[in-house]
Amino acid sequence: MPEFRAPRGTRDLLPVDRPVWERLTSLAGDLARRYGYAGIETPMFEQTAVFERGVGAVTDIVEKELFRIQPRTEESEAWSLRPEATAGIVRAYVQHGMRTLPQPVRVQYVGPMFRYDRPQAGRYRQFWQWDVEAIGDAGPGIDAEIIELGHRFYTEAGLANVQVLLNSIGDPGCRPAYVARLREYFERHRSELPGLELARLASNPLRLLDSKDPDMAALIAGAPRIVDHLCDACREHFDGVRAHLDALGVPVRIEPSLVRGLDYYTRTAFEYYREGAEGQQQALGGGGRYDGLVELLGGRPTPGIGFALGLDRVVLALAEEGIAAPEPVRPAAFVASADPADSVGRLRVATELRRAGIAARADLGTRRLGRQLEQASREGAHFAVILGDELRDGMVQLRDLRAGTQHAVPLDELARSIQRGESTHHHG
Ligand code: HAM
């Protein structure tokens, strides 16, 4: 047993793990380009108040899961590692006066988030999200653009059976009356409530609908539903979102008990699930509208909507569906030489190929030629470049390891020969 280990709830993503992550990251980047979402990056920690006010003081994420940074004695500010990206991005939107830019401001980011969660499969203390936000458009068209974009990510990643669970959770106009009904309902069932939920009944009854406690499931199923208590404006918005999504052919299921675990949401709330894996812990992603958040963090009233997809869970889902991870990149050329001592020659030729844009490897040890060529095959190289006596005349041997052919090539034409061979011969 090694003395030091990665902290509980975190993982090392080793070279064998990385190709699938790189594919997902580049898919996110490609979708961002197609849909017009620019990159943004905010600090991994913020003033704790950004999360307390943004995400909400009475939420699991802030009450139980926030990684608080131990303040140095002389510093008064309390910081925390970000549990999610939205609050920080909205803080940046306000701080940099981004309301003067064309609205909505469309931004996106892939990066690690931190929650002091109880670790289990698909639930980590450091995990990665693709976070996408559109700030400054009241919808409902932008709601549909965002929801469809998230859905497309799963489809293009290879998950064909992801559906959208959709709800509206009203706005500050109609939600209070609903929350009062909800409180009344749970008050009547007071004796059945677990301790934590009892405490929340007074402070934030909506959170009870989001409870992961199995004892709560039946109570939640019998609770009044917010969709039955929307005001006209919220109802109209909800209908508009559904009409746009229908027109795009996005598979949507209305889920009246979906309230999300963060306080900033208004109106549209959604989550992505694989069909048949709708358990509470299995959301592949989620998001919603947050029309009050900009103001809450000190800006002018500005609507916004976004989502975050859990990349760790997407990687797990791809593995469960048996979708093969991409192969690691194979070198086009492996430079070997007859003289085991000539590591200078091998490195020089490999360096020239690399300068020409070719993925090249060379054995920098002192193994004999046969061992070098074995290594070339093991790494899946397309060509072996063999340096021998004819190097004096500026010639090398170029062996096509796939075709099993070999011929002499002038050194100054080597890069072009390899490039030509690479483009006519597809990777097998
Ligand atoms: P969230 O639902 O808290 O929303 O997280 C989004 C996704 O992140 C989840 O659906 C899940 O896939 C993944 N996730 C959350 N916690 C963990 C964990 N401990 N381990 C692994 N994956 C996890 C948000 O974070 C909002 N900021 C989304 C949003 C953006 N709303 C508007 N804009």
Side-chain angles (χ1 to χ4, degrees):
M1 267 284 247
E3 183 181 357
F4 297 114
R5 311 176 62 83
R8 201 164 116 77
T10 72
R11 290 160 308 146
D12 299 308
L13 301 175
L14 301 177
V16 293
D17 306 317
R18 285 293 302 165
V20 62
W21 285 84
E22 274 151 29
R23 196 183 71 188
L24 293 180
T25 314
S26 79
L27 172 58
D30 184 41
L31 287 168
R33 176 188 64 77
R34 280 186 261 162
Y35 284 70
Y37 286 73
I40 188 168
E41 180 142 358
T42 61
M44 291 199 201
F45 61 96
E46 296 268 353
Q47 287 170 270
T48 300
V50 169
F51 305 122
E52 284 172 344
R53 256 206 259 168
V55 174
V58 187
T59 57
D60 273 359
I61 292 177
V62 169
E63 276 186 312
K64 301 197 292 191
E65 297 168 5
L66 211 52
F67 268 96
R68 294 167 191 273
I69 295 172
Q70 178 99 57
R72 292 161 175 258
T73 46
E74 73 274 19
E75 276 173 343
S76 53
E77 231 157 44
W79 294 323
S80 295
L81 295 184
R82 62 178 180 206
E84 58 105 51
T86 313
I89 289 173
V90 168
R91 192 265 312 137
Y93 177 93
V94 173
Q95 180 180 339
H96 302 287
M98 290 165 84
R99 67 185 172 78
T100 61
L101 300 175
Q103 305 290 301
V105 170
R106 289 180 166 89
V107 291
Q108 56 91 30
Y109 173 65
V110 172
M113 307 295 153
F114 306 87
R115 295 184 194 177
Y116 196 76
D117 239 327
R118 205 159 47 81
Q120 51 188 278
R123 194 164 281 279
Y124 308 104
R125 290 180 173 172
Q126 175 175 341
F127 58 96
W128 275 261
Q129 287 185 342
W130 181 37
D131 187 271
V132 174
E133 312 287 353
I135 307 175
D137 183 339
I142 190 73
D143 301 43
E145 174 178 295
I146 284 274
I147 292 169
E148 191 274 339
L149 169 55
H151 187 261
R152 181 160 307 281
F153 177 89
Y154 300 113
T155 309
E156 294 197 8
L159 297 173
N161 59 348
V162 171
Q163 61 171 350
V164 180
L165 269 50
L166 180 70
N167 195 20
S168 173
I169 57 168
D171 69 7
C174 55
R175 203 184 309 152
Y178 167 73
V179 171
R181 274 171 189 269
L182 199 61
R183 180 174 281 129
E184 236 170 73
Y185 168 82
F186 282 116
E187 282 291 356
R188 268 184 277 128
H189 296 273
R190 223 186 146 73
S191 57
E192 299 156 59
L193 293 180
L196 176 72
E197 310 301 341
L198 201 56
R200 286 177 167 184
L201 181 53
S203 52
N204 196 347
L206 211 55
R207 285 281 72 79
L208 270 65
L209 293 181
D210 192 47
S211 171
K212 290 157 195 160
D213 193 321
D215 293 346
M216 291 287 292
L219 266 187
I220 291 170
R225 307 172 343 149
I226 189 150
V227 279
D228 301 328
H229 299 88
L230 296 177
C231 60
D232 290 345
C234 285
R235 161 66 54 197
E236 200 179 305
H237 182 91
F238 192 40
D239 291 344
V241 175
R242 292 166 62 180
H244 281 80
L245 287 172
D246 278 350
L248 301 179
V250 179
V252 170
R253 202 180 88 199
I254 306 302
E255 181 50 67
S257 73
L258 179 77
V259 291
R260 309 276 296 129
L262 303 86
D263 276 355
Y264 50 61
Y265 291 115
T266 53
R267 295 190 168 171
T268 309
F270 57 94
E271 283 179 342
Y272 298 99
Y273 284 88
R274 261 190 302 161
E275 266 168 73
E278 287 96 342
Q280 284 262 5
Q281 317 280 335
Q282 305 292 334
L284 291 175
R289 183 162 275 291
Y290 45 83
D291 292 346
L293 183 56
V294 176
E295 205 179 351
L296 214 56
L297 293 178
R300 300 198 183 171
T302 309
I305 182 164
F307 63 69
L309 309 189
L311 296 183
D312 307 73
R313 293 187 188 175
V314 174
V315 169
L316 285 174
L318 288 171
E320 271 173 35
E321 305 268 326
I323 293 161
E327 294 274 313
V329 178
R330 300 189 196 176
F334 190 100
V335 184
S337 58
D339 176 4
D342 187 22
S343 56
V344 170
R346 292 191 291 273
L347 185 56
R348 212 181 51 212
V349 171
T351 303
E352 265 156 36
L353 292 176
R354 289 162 179 168
R355 192 162 51 208
I358 292 168
R361 309 274 185 279
D363 190 325
L364 302 180
T366 53
R367 280 181 277 197
R368 53 193 175 72
L369 182 59
R371 298 289 306 282
Q372 294 177 49
L373 292 174
E374 278 168 25
Q375 185 66 21
S377 313
R378 222 182 351 257
E379 296 203 15
H382 187 171
F383 293 99
V385 176
I386 303 166
L387 315 182
D389 292 342
E390 54 195 356
L391 196 55
R392 267 181 259 123
D393 310 320
M395 299 294 285
V396 299
Q397 290 292 319
L398 183 61
R399 183 181 295 181
D400 186 328
L401 295 171
R402 294 193 195 142
T405 56
Q406 178 168 331
H407 60 282
V409 178
L411 193 54
D412 54 13
E413 279 172 29
L414 181 62
R416 239 169 307 132
S417 298
I418 291 171
Q419 273 156 344
R420 219 177 306 122
E422 277 280 278
S423 60
T424 52
H425 191 301
H426 281 283
H427 290 260

